[in-house]
Amino acid sequence: MHGVGFIGAIIIGIFAGWIAEKIMKRDHGLLTNLIVGLVGALIGAFLAGMLGIHFWGWVGSLLISTLGAVLLLWLLGLIKKS
């Protein structure tokens, strides 16, 4: 999350977790959304870096974080089904 700061990262993490929750049709609380969003941001940033995709600012960070959070919830769903 380039250029958004610590508080911005928390806000983006909450929104990314909430959006991923809605996309994946789950029901979590605020803290879980924050954790999912922040971990999703790490996953998304790692994958974007591997693919050579650059993102800056709020919108780019929210998009990458949301994609990472959706991937995280999808992987956790696969593990829970096993």
Side-chain angles (χ1 to χ4, degrees):
M1 286 191 225
H2 302 288
V4 296
F6 181 73
I7 300 297
I10 291 173
I11 293 169
I12 289 171
I14 291 170
F15 280 131
W18 180 78
I19 293 169
E21 170 188 71
K22 298 304 176 195
I23 291 171
M24 298 300 290
K25 296 181 174 94
R26 307 276 174 94
D27 188 27
H28 304 129
L30 182 67
L31 182 61
T32 304
N33 285 343
L34 172 62
I35 293 169
V36 167
L38 291 177
V39 173
L42 294 173
I43 293 170
F46 174 75
L47 292 175
M50 296 278 292
L51 296 172
I53 299 170
H54 302 287
F55 60 96
W56 290 276
W58 287 79
V59 176
S61 294
L62 181 61
L63 179 65
I64 294 295
S65 299
T66 301
L67 292 174
V70 167
L71 179 62
L72 174 65
L73 290 177
W74 180 73
L75 290 172
L76 288 175
L78 287 177
I79 292 170
K80 276 188 158 182
K81 288 182 182 179
S82 298

